[in-house]
Coordinates of all heavy atoms in Angstrom, one line a residue:
Chain A
V25 N 124.5 -15.1 0.8 CA 123.8 -16.2 1.2 C 123.4 -17.1 0.1 O 123.7 -18.4 0.1 CB 122.6 -15.9 2.1 CG1 121.8 -17.1 2.4 CG2 123.1 -15.2 3.4
A26 N 122.8 -16.6 -1.0 CA 122.3 -17.4 -2.1 C 123.4 -18.1 -2.7 O 123.3 -19.4 -3.0 CB 121.5 -16.5 -3.0
H29 N 125.0 -20.8 -0.4 CA 124.1 -21.9 -0.2 C 124.1 -22.9 -1.4 O 124.1 -24.1 -1.4 CB 122.6 -21.4 -0.1 CG 121.5 -22.3 -0.3 ND1 121.3 -23.4 0.5 CD2 120.5 -22.4 -1.2 CE1 120.2 -24.1 0.1 NE2 119.8 -23.5 -1.0
E30 N 124.1 -22.3 -2.6 CA 124.3 -23.1 -3.9 C 125.7 -23.8 -3.9 O 125.8 -25.0 -4.3 CB 124.1 -22.2 -5.1 CG 122.7 -21.7 -5.4 CD 121.7 -22.7 -5.9 OE1 122.2 -23.8 -6.3 OE2 120.5 -22.5 -5.9
R34 N 123.3 -26.7 -1.7 CA 121.9 -26.4 -1.2 C 121.7 -27.0 0.2 O 120.6 -27.6 0.4 CB 120.9 -26.9 -2.2 CG 120.9 -26.1 -3.5 CD 119.9 -26.6 -4.5 NE 120.1 -25.9 -5.7 CZ 119.6 -26.3 -6.9 NH1 118.9 -27.4 -7.0 NH2 119.9 -25.6 -7.9
L37 N 120.8 -24.0 5.1 CA 120.1 -22.8 5.2 C 119.1 -22.8 6.5 O 118.5 -23.8 6.7 CB 119.2 -22.7 4.0 CG 118.8 -21.3 3.5 CD1 120.0 -20.5 3.1 CD2 117.8 -21.4 2.3
P40 N 113.2 -19.9 6.4 CA 113.0 -18.5 5.9 C 112.2 -17.6 6.8 O 112.1 -16.4 6.5 CB 112.2 -18.7 4.6 CG 111.6 -20.1 4.7 CD 112.5 -20.9 5.6
R43 N 114.3 -13.3 9.6 CA 114.4 -12.1 8.9 C 115.3 -11.1 9.5 O 115.5 -11.0 10.7 CB 113.1 -11.5 8.6 CG 112.1 -12.4 7.9 CD 112.6 -12.8 6.5 NE 112.8 -11.7 5.6 CZ 113.8 -11.6 4.7 NH1 114.6 -12.6 4.5 NH2 114.0 -10.5 4.1
G48 N 119.8 -4.6 4.2 CA 121.1 -4.1 3.6 C 122.3 -4.6 4.2 O 123.4 -4.4 3.5
A49 N 122.2 -5.3 5.4 CA 123.5 -5.8 6.0 C 123.9 -7.1 5.3 O 123.1 -7.9 4.9 CB 123.4 -5.9 7.4
R50 N 125.2 -7.4 5.2 CA 125.7 -8.7 4.8 C 126.9 -9.0 5.7 O 127.9 -8.2 5.6 CB 126.1 -8.7 3.3 CG 126.8 -9.9 2.8 CD 126.9 -10.0 1.4 NE 125.6 -10.3 0.7 CZ 125.5 -10.4 -0.7 NH1 126.5 -10.2 -1.4 NH2 124.4 -10.7 -1.1
D168 N 120.2 -10.1 3.3 CA 118.7 -9.9 3.1 C 118.0 -11.2 2.7 O 116.8 -11.3 2.8 CB 118.5 -8.8 2.1 CG 118.9 -7.4 2.6 OD1 119.0 -7.3 3.9 OD2 118.9 -6.5 1.8
D169 N 118.7 -12.2 2.2 CA 118.1 -13.4 1.7 C 118.0 -14.5 2.8 O 117.3 -15.5 2.6 CB 118.9 -14.0 0.6 CG 118.8 -13.3 -0.7 OD1 117.9 -12.4 -0.8 OD2 119.5 -13.6 -1.6
R189 N 131.3 -20.0 -9.1 CA 129.9 -19.8 -9.5 C 129.6 -18.3 -9.8 O 128.9 -18.0 -10.7 CB 129.0 -20.1 -8.2 CG 127.5 -20.1 -8.5 CD 126.7 -20.6 -7.4 NE 125.3 -20.4 -7.7 CZ 124.5 -21.3 -8.4 NH1 125.1 -22.4 -8.7 NH2 123.3 -21.0 -8.7
E193 N 128.2 -16.9 -13.3 CA 127.0 -16.0 -13.3 C 127.2 -14.7 -14.0 O 126.3 -14.1 -14.6 CB 126.4 -15.8 -11.9 CG 125.8 -17.1 -11.2 CD 124.9 -16.8 -10.1 OE1 125.0 -15.7 -9.5 OE2 124.1 -17.6 -9.8
K196 N 126.6 -15.3 -17.5 CA 125.2 -15.5 -17.8 C 124.4 -14.2 -17.7 O 123.5 -14.0 -18.4 CB 124.6 -16.6 -16.9 CG 125.0 -17.9 -17.2 CD 124.3 -18.9 -16.2 CE 124.7 -20.3 -16.4 NZ 124.7 -21.1 -15.1
R197 N 124.8 -13.4 -16.8 CA 124.1 -12.1 -16.5 C 124.1 -11.3 -17.8 O 123.0 -10.8 -18.2 CB 124.8 -11.4 -15.3 CG 124.2 -10.0 -15.0 CD 124.9 -9.5 -13.8 NE 124.6 -10.2 -12.6 CZ 125.6 -10.9 -11.9 NH1 126.8 -10.8 -12.3 NH2 125.3 -11.7 -10.9
F200 N 121.7 -12.8 -20.3 CA 120.3 -12.6 -20.0 C 119.9 -11.2 -20.3 O 118.9 -10.8 -20.8 CB 120.1 -12.9 -18.5 CG 119.8 -14.3 -18.2 CD1 120.5 -15.1 -17.3 CD2 118.7 -15.0 -18.9 CE1 120.2 -16.4 -17.0 CE2 118.4 -16.4 -18.6 CZ 119.2 -17.0 -17.6
K201 N 120.8 -10.2 -19.9 CA 120.5 -8.8 -20.2 C 120.4 -8.5 -21.6 O 119.7 -7.6 -22.0 CB 121.7 -7.9 -19.5 CG 121.6 -7.8 -18.0 CD 122.8 -7.3 -17.4 CE 122.8 -5.8 -17.4 NZ 124.0 -5.2 -16.6
S202 N 121.1 -9.2 -22.5 CA 121.1 -9.0 -23.9 C 119.8 -9.6 -24.5 O 119.6 -9.6 -25.7 CB 122.3 -9.5 -24.6 OG 122.2 -10.9 -24.6
G203 N 119.1 -10.3 -23.7 CA 117.7 -10.9 -24.2 C 117.8 -12.4 -24.5 O 116.8 -12.9 -24.9
E204 N 119.0 -13.0 -24.3 CA 119.0 -14.5 -24.6 C 118.1 -15.2 -23.6 O 118.0 -14.8 -22.4 CB 120.4 -15.0 -24.4 CG 120.6 -16.4 -25.0 CD 122.1 -16.8 -25.0 OE1 123.0 -15.9 -24.9 OE2 122.3 -18.0 -25.1
L205 N 117.5 -16.2 -24.0 CA 116.5 -16.9 -23.1 C 117.3 -18.1 -22.5 O 118.1 -18.8 -23.0 CB 115.3 -17.5 -23.9 CG 114.4 -16.4 -24.5 CD1 113.5 -17.1 -25.4 CD2 113.6 -15.8 -23.3
G206 N 116.9 -18.4 -21.2 CA 117.4 -19.5 -20.4 C 117.1 -20.8 -21.1 O 118.0 -21.7 -21.1
I207 N 116.0 -20.9 -21.8 CA 115.6 -22.1 -22.4 C 116.6 -22.5 -23.5 O 116.9 -23.7 -23.8 CB 114.1 -22.1 -22.9 CG1 113.5 -23.4 -23.0 CG2 114.0 -21.3 -24.1 CD1 112.1 -23.4 -23.2
Y210 N 120.5 -22.8 -21.6 CA 120.6 -24.1 -20.9 C 120.2 -25.3 -21.8 O 120.2 -26.5 -21.4 CB 119.8 -24.1 -19.6 CG 120.2 -23.1 -18.6 CD1 119.2 -22.2 -18.2 CD2 121.5 -23.0 -18.1 CE1 119.6 -21.1 -17.3 CE2 121.8 -22.0 -17.2 CZ 120.8 -21.1 -16.8 OH 121.2 -20.1 -15.9
M212 N 117.3 -26.4 -23.1 CA 116.3 -27.2 -22.3 C 115.2 -27.8 -23.3 O 114.4 -28.6 -22.8 CB 115.5 -26.3 -21.4 CG 116.3 -25.8 -20.2 SD 115.4 -24.6 -19.4 CE 116.3 -24.3 -17.8
H213 N 115.2 -27.5 -24.6 CA 114.1 -27.9 -25.4 C 113.9 -29.4 -25.4 O 112.8 -29.9 -25.2 CB 114.3 -27.4 -26.8 CG 114.3 -25.9 -26.9 ND1 113.1 -25.2 -26.9 CD2 115.3 -25.0 -27.0 CE1 113.4 -23.9 -27.0 NE2 114.7 -23.8 -27.0
S215 N 115.0 -31.8 -23.3 CA 114.7 -32.4 -22.0 C 113.3 -32.0 -21.6 O 112.6 -32.9 -21.0 CB 115.7 -32.0 -20.9 OG 115.8 -30.5 -20.9
L216 N 112.8 -30.9 -21.9 CA 111.4 -30.5 -21.6 C 110.4 -31.4 -22.5 O 109.5 -31.9 -21.9 CB 111.1 -29.1 -22.0 CG 111.6 -28.0 -21.0 CD1 111.6 -26.7 -21.6 CD2 110.8 -28.1 -19.7
A219 N 110.4 -34.8 -21.0 CA 109.7 -34.8 -19.7 C 108.2 -34.7 -19.9 O 107.4 -34.8 -19.0 CB 110.2 -33.7 -18.8
G220 N 107.8 -34.5 -21.1 CA 106.3 -34.5 -21.4 C 105.7 -33.2 -21.7 O 104.5 -33.1 -22.0
L221 N 106.4 -32.1 -21.7 CA 105.9 -30.8 -22.1 C 105.4 -30.7 -23.5 O 106.1 -31.1 -24.5 CB 106.9 -29.6 -21.8 CG 106.3 -28.3 -22.1 CD1 105.3 -27.9 -21.0 CD2 107.5 -27.3 -22.0
V222 N 104.2 -30.2 -23.7 CA 103.6 -30.1 -25.0 C 103.3 -28.6 -25.2 O 102.7 -28.0 -24.4 CB 102.3 -30.9 -25.1 CG1 101.7 -30.8 -26.5 CG2 102.8 -32.5 -25.0
Y223 N 103.6 -28.1 -26.4 CA 103.2 -26.8 -26.7 C 101.9 -26.8 -27.5 O 101.7 -27.6 -28.4 CB 104.3 -26.1 -27.6 CG 105.5 -25.6 -26.8 CD1 106.5 -26.5 -26.4 CD2 105.7 -24.2 -26.4 CE1 107.6 -26.1 -25.7 CE2 106.8 -23.8 -25.8 CZ 107.8 -24.8 -25.4 OH 108.9 -24.4 -24.7
V224 N 101.0 -25.8 -27.2 CA 99.8 -25.7 -28.1 C 99.7 -24.2 -28.5 O 100.3 -23.4 -27.8 CB 98.5 -26.2 -27.4 CG1 98.6 -27.7 -27.1 CG2 98.2 -25.3 -26.2
D225 N 99.0 -24.0 -29.5 CA 99.0 -22.5 -30.0 C 98.0 -21.7 -29.1 O 98.3 -20.4 -29.0 CB 98.5 -22.5 -31.5 CG 99.7 -22.7 -32.4 OD1 100.8 -22.6 -31.9 OD2 99.5 -23.1 -33.6
S226 N 97.0 -22.3 -28.6 CA 96.0 -21.4 -27.9 C 95.3 -22.2 -26.9 O 95.3 -23.5 -26.9 CB 95.0 -20.9 -29.0 OG 93.7 -20.9 -28.5
G227 N 94.7 -21.5 -25.9 CA 94.0 -22.1 -24.8 C 92.9 -22.9 -25.3 O 92.4 -23.8 -24.6
L230 N 93.2 -26.6 -25.5 CA 93.3 -27.4 -24.2 C 92.1 -28.3 -24.2 O 91.0 -27.9 -24.6 CB 93.4 -26.6 -23.0 CG 94.6 -25.7 -22.9 CD1 94.5 -24.8 -21.7 CD2 95.9 -26.6 -22.8
E231 N 92.2 -29.5 -23.6 CA 91.0 -30.3 -23.4 C 90.0 -29.6 -22.5 O 90.4 -28.8 -21.6 CB 91.3 -31.6 -22.7 CG 92.2 -32.5 -23.6 CD 92.6 -33.7 -22.8 OE1 92.0 -34.0 -21.8 OE2 93.5 -34.4 -23.3
Chain B
K2 N 98.9 -33.1 -17.0 CA 99.6 -32.9 -18.3 C 100.4 -31.6 -18.3 O 99.9 -30.7 -17.7 CB 98.6 -32.9 -19.4 CG 98.1 -34.3 -19.8 CD 96.9 -34.2 -20.7 CE 96.2 -35.6 -20.7 NZ 94.7 -35.4 -20.8
S3 N 101.5 -31.6 -19.0 CA 102.3 -30.4 -19.0 C 102.1 -29.8 -20.3 O 102.4 -30.3 -21.4 CB 103.8 -30.8 -18.8 OG 104.1 -31.2 -17.6
V4 N 101.6 -28.6 -20.3 CA 101.2 -27.8 -21.5 C 101.8 -26.4 -21.4 O 101.8 -25.8 -20.4 CB 99.7 -27.8 -21.7 CG1 99.3 -27.0 -22.9 CG2 99.1 -29.1 -21.6
A5 N 102.3 -25.9 -22.6 CA 102.6 -24.5 -22.7 C 101.8 -23.9 -23.8 O 101.9 -24.3 -25.0 CB 104.1 -24.4 -22.9
V6 N 101.0 -22.9 -23.5 CA 100.2 -22.2 -24.5 C 100.9 -21.1 -25.0 O 101.3 -20.2 -24.3 CB 98.8 -21.9 -23.9 CG1 97.9 -21.1 -24.9 CG2 98.1 -23.1 -23.4
R7 N 101.0 -21.0 -26.3 CA 101.9 -20.0 -27.0 C 101.2 -18.6 -27.0 O 101.8 -17.6 -26.7 CB 102.2 -20.4 -28.4 CG 103.3 -21.4 -28.5 CD 104.0 -21.4 -29.8 NE 105.1 -22.4 -29.8 CZ 104.9 -23.6 -30.2 NH1 103.7 -24.0 -30.6 NH2 105.9 -24.5 -30.2
N8 N 99.9 -18.6 -27.3 CA 99.2 -17.3 -27.6 C 98.1 -17.1 -26.6 O 97.2 -18.1 -26.5 CB 98.7 -17.2 -29.0 CG 99.8 -17.5 -30.0 OD1 100.8 -16.7 -30.0 ND2 99.7 -18.5 -30.8
W66 N 111.7 -24.8 -13.4 CA 111.9 -25.1 -14.8 C 110.9 -24.3 -15.6 O 111.3 -23.7 -16.7 CB 111.7 -26.6 -15.0 CG 112.5 -27.2 -16.1 CD1 113.5 -26.5 -16.9 CD2 112.5 -28.5 -16.6 NE1 114.0 -27.4 -17.8 CE2 113.4 -28.6 -17.6 CE3 111.8 -29.7 -16.2 CZ2 113.7 -29.8 -18.3 CZ3 112.0 -30.9 -16.9 CH2 112.9 -31.0 -17.9
M67 N 109.6 -24.3 -15.3 CA 108.6 -23.7 -16.1 C 108.8 -22.2 -16.2 O 108.3 -21.5 -17.2 CB 107.3 -24.0 -15.6 CG 106.7 -25.3 -15.9 SD 106.7 -25.8 -17.6 CE 108.1 -26.9 -17.7
H69 N 111.5 -20.8 -17.1 CA 112.3 -20.5 -18.3 C 111.4 -20.7 -19.5 O 111.6 -20.0 -20.6 CB 113.5 -21.5 -18.3 CG 114.5 -21.1 -17.4 ND1 115.4 -20.1 -17.6 CD2 114.8 -21.6 -16.1 CE1 116.2 -20.0 -16.5 NE2 115.9 -20.9 -15.6
V70 N 110.4 -21.6 -19.5 CA 109.5 -21.8 -20.6 C 108.6 -20.5 -20.7 O 108.3 -20.0 -21.8 CB 108.6 -23.0 -20.4 CG1 107.6 -23.1 -21.5 CG2 109.5 -24.2 -20.3
M72 N 109.3 -17.5 -19.9 CA 110.1 -16.4 -20.4 C 110.1 -16.3 -21.9 O 110.4 -15.3 -22.5 CB 111.5 -16.4 -19.8 CG 112.1 -15.1 -19.4 SD 111.1 -14.4 -18.0 CE 112.0 -15.0 -16.7
E73 N 110.0 -17.5 -22.5 CA 110.0 -17.6 -24.0 C 108.7 -17.1 -24.5 O 108.6 -16.7 -25.7 CB 110.2 -19.1 -24.3 CG 110.3 -19.4 -25.7 CD 110.2 -21.0 -26.0 OE1 109.7 -21.7 -25.0 OE2 110.5 -21.4 -27.1
L74 N 107.6 -17.1 -23.7 CA 106.3 -16.8 -24.2 C 105.7 -15.5 -23.8 O 104.6 -15.1 -24.3 CB 105.3 -18.0 -23.8 CG 105.7 -19.4 -24.2 CD1 104.7 -20.4 -23.6 CD2 105.8 -19.5 -25.7
T90 N 108.0 -22.5 0.0 CA 108.7 -21.1 0.1 C 110.0 -21.0 -0.5 O 110.7 -20.1 -0.3 CB 108.8 -20.8 1.6 OG1 109.6 -21.8 2.3 CG2 107.4 -20.7 2.3
E96 N 118.1 -12.9 -9.1 CA 118.6 -11.8 -9.9 C 118.7 -12.2 -11.4 O 118.3 -11.4 -12.3 CB 120.0 -11.5 -9.4 CG 120.6 -10.3 -10.2 CD 122.0 -10.7 -10.7 OE1 122.6 -11.7 -10.3 OE2 122.4 -10.0 -11.7
L97 N 119.3 -13.4 -11.7 CA 119.5 -13.7 -13.2 C 118.1 -13.8 -13.9 O 118.0 -13.2 -15.0 CB 120.2 -15.0 -13.3 CG 121.7 -14.9 -12.9 CD1 122.4 -16.2 -13.2 CD2 122.5 -13.7 -13.6
R100 N 116.9 -10.3 -14.5 CA 117.5 -9.7 -15.7 C 116.8 -10.1 -16.9 O 116.6 -9.4 -17.9 CB 119.1 -10.1 -15.7 CG 119.9 -9.8 -14.5 CD 120.4 -8.3 -14.6 NE 121.3 -8.1 -13.5 CZ 121.6 -6.9 -13.0 NH1 121.1 -5.8 -13.6 NH2 122.3 -6.8 -12.0
S101 N 116.6 -11.5 -17.0 CA 116.0 -12.0 -18.2 C 114.6 -11.5 -18.4 O 114.2 -11.1 -19.5 CB 116.0 -13.5 -18.1 OG 115.4 -14.2 -19.2
A104 N 114.7 -7.9 -19.6 CA 115.1 -7.9 -21.1 C 114.0 -8.2 -21.9 O 113.9 -7.8 -23.1 CB 116.3 -8.9 -21.3
Q105 N 113.0 -9.1 -21.5 CA 111.8 -9.5 -22.3 C 110.7 -8.5 -22.2 O 109.6 -8.7 -22.7 CB 111.4 -10.9 -21.9 CG 112.4 -11.9 -21.9 CD 113.1 -12.1 -23.3 OE1 112.5 -11.9 -24.3 NE2 114.4 -12.4 -23.2
V116 N 111.4 -15.9 -3.1 CA 112.3 -15.4 -4.1 C 113.6 -15.1 -3.3 O 113.6 -15.0 -2.1 CB 111.8 -14.1 -4.7 CG1 110.6 -14.3 -5.6 CG2 111.4 -13.0 -3.7
R117 N 114.7 -14.8 -4.0 CA 116.0 -14.5 -3.4 C 116.7 -13.4 -4.2 O 116.1 -13.0 -5.2 CB 116.8 -15.8 -3.3 CG 117.2 -16.5 -4.6 CD 117.9 -17.7 -4.4 NE 118.4 -18.3 -5.6 CZ 119.1 -19.5 -5.6 NH1 119.4 -20.1 -4.5 NH2 119.5 -20.0 -6.8
D118 N 117.9 -13.1 -3.7 CA 118.6 -12.0 -4.3 C 117.8 -10.7 -4.2 O 117.8 -9.9 -5.1 CB 119.0 -12.2 -5.8 CG 119.7 -13.5 -6.0 OD1 120.5 -13.9 -5.1 OD2 119.6 -14.1 -7.1
V119 N 117.2 -10.5 -3.0 CA 116.3 -9.4 -2.9 C 117.0 -8.0 -2.9 O 116.4 -7.0 -3.3 CB 115.4 -9.5 -1.6 CG1 114.7 -10.8 -1.5 CG2 116.3 -9.3 -0.3
R120 N 118.2 -8.0 -2.5 CA 119.0 -6.7 -2.7 C 119.2 -6.4 -4.2 O 119.0 -5.3 -4.6 CB 120.3 -6.8 -2.0 CG 121.1 -5.5 -1.9 CD 122.1 -5.5 -0.8 NE 123.2 -6.3 -1.1 CZ 124.3 -6.3 -0.4 NH1 124.5 -5.5 0.7 NH2 125.3 -7.1 -0.7
A133 N 107.3 -15.5 0.4 CA 108.4 -15.6 1.3 C 109.7 -15.1 0.6 O 109.7 -15.0 -0.6 CB 108.6 -17.0 1.7
I134 N 110.7 -14.9 1.4 CA 112.0 -14.6 0.9 C 112.9 -15.8 1.4 O 112.9 -16.1 2.5 CB 112.6 -13.2 1.4 CG1 111.8 -12.2 0.7 CG2 114.1 -13.1 1.2 CD1 112.0 -10.7 1.3
S135 N 113.5 -16.4 0.4 CA 114.3 -17.6 0.8 C 115.5 -17.8 -0.2 O 115.2 -17.7 -1.4 CB 113.4 -18.8 0.9 OG 114.3 -20.0 1.0
A136 N 116.6 -18.1 0.3 CA 117.8 -18.3 -0.6 C 117.7 -19.8 -1.1 O 118.6 -20.1 -1.9 CB 119.1 -18.1 0.2
K137 N 116.8 -20.6 -0.6 CA 116.7 -22.0 -1.0 C 116.6 -22.2 -2.5 O 115.6 -21.7 -3.1 CB 115.5 -22.6 -0.3 CG 115.2 -24.1 -0.6 CD 116.0 -24.9 0.3 CE 115.6 -26.4 0.3 NZ 115.7 -26.9 -1.1
G138 N 117.6 -22.8 -3.1 CA 117.6 -23.0 -4.5 C 116.7 -24.1 -5.0 O 116.1 -24.8 -4.2
T139 N 116.4 -24.1 -6.3 CA 115.5 -25.0 -6.9 C 116.1 -25.9 -7.9 O 117.1 -25.6 -8.5 CB 114.3 -24.3 -7.5 OG1 114.9 -23.2 -8.3 CG2 113.4 -23.7 -6.4
V140 N 115.4 -27.1 -8.2 CA 115.8 -27.9 -9.2 C 115.1 -27.6 -10.5 O 114.2 -26.8 -10.5 CB 115.6 -29.4 -8.8 CG1 116.4 -29.7 -7.6 CG2 114.1 -29.7 -8.6
K141 N 115.4 -28.4 -11.6 CA 114.7 -28.2 -12.9 C 114.5 -29.7 -13.3 O 115.1 -30.2 -14.1 CB 115.5 -27.5 -14.0 CG 115.7 -26.1 -13.7 CD 116.7 -25.4 -14.6 CE 117.1 -23.9 -14.2 NZ 117.1 -23.6 -12.8
A142 N 113.5 -30.4 -12.7 CA 113.3 -31.8 -12.8 C 112.0 -32.2 -13.3 O 111.9 -33.2 -14.0 CB 113.6 -32.5 -11.5
P144 N 108.3 -31.1 -15.1 CA 107.6 -30.0 -15.8 C 106.3 -29.6 -15.2 O 105.6 -30.5 -14.5 CB 107.4 -30.4 -17.2 CG 107.4 -31.9 -17.1 CD 108.2 -32.3 -15.9
G145 N 105.8 -28.4 -15.4 CA 104.5 -28.0 -15.1 C 103.8 -27.5 -16.3 O 103.9 -28.1 -17.4
S146 N 103.1 -26.3 -16.2 CA 102.4 -25.7 -17.4 C 102.6 -24.2 -17.4 O 103.0 -23.6 -16.4 CB 100.9 -26.1 -17.3 OG 100.8 -27.4 -17.6
N148 N 100.6 -20.7 -19.0 CA 99.4 -20.1 -19.6 C 98.2 -21.1 -19.6 O 97.4 -21.1 -20.6 CB 99.7 -19.7 -21.1 CG 100.5 -18.3 -21.1 OD1 100.2 -17.5 -20.1 ND2 101.2 -18.0 -22.1
V149 N 98.0 -21.8 -18.5 CA 96.8 -22.4 -18.1 C 96.2 -21.7 -17.0 O 96.9 -21.0 -16.3 CB 97.0 -23.9 -17.8 CG1 97.6 -24.7 -18.9 CG2 97.9 -24.1 -16.5
P150 N 94.9 -21.8 -16.7 CA 94.3 -21.2 -15.5 C 95.0 -21.7 -14.3 O 95.1 -23.0 -14.2 CB 92.8 -21.5 -15.6 CG 92.6 -21.8 -17.1 CD 93.8 -22.5 -17.5

Side-chain angles (χ1 to χ4, degrees):
Chain A
V25 171
H29 164 65
E30 291 285 349
R34 293 182 188 160
L37 205 65
R43 297 301 303 145
R50 174 171 284 179
D168 289 347
D169 286 347
R189 189 175 173 88
E193 290 200 339
K196 286 180 185 155
R197 182 173 294 115
F200 276 125
K201 285 167 82 170
S202 73
E204 193 174 344
L205 290 168
I207 203 168
Y210 302 118
M212 293 170 168
H213 294 281
S215 51
L216 282 165
L221 180 68
V222 175
Y223 284 79
V224 299
D225 275 342
S226 141
L230 297 176
E231 297 178 12
Chain B
K2 279 165 200 146
S3 292
V4 180
V6 176
R7 285 207 179 86
N8 303 300
W66 210 4
M67 282 304 107
H69 289 282
V70 177
M72 218 67 91
E73 186 193 11
L74 302 177
T90 61
E96 180 238 340
L97 290 186
R100 302 274 183 203
S101 181
Q105 307 302 326
V116 294
R117 59 185 185 178
D118 302 329
V119 302
R120 190 158 68 170
I134 290 169
S135 170
K137 179 87 169 51
T139 45
V140 297
K141 292 170 186 38
S146 290
N148 280 333
V149 298

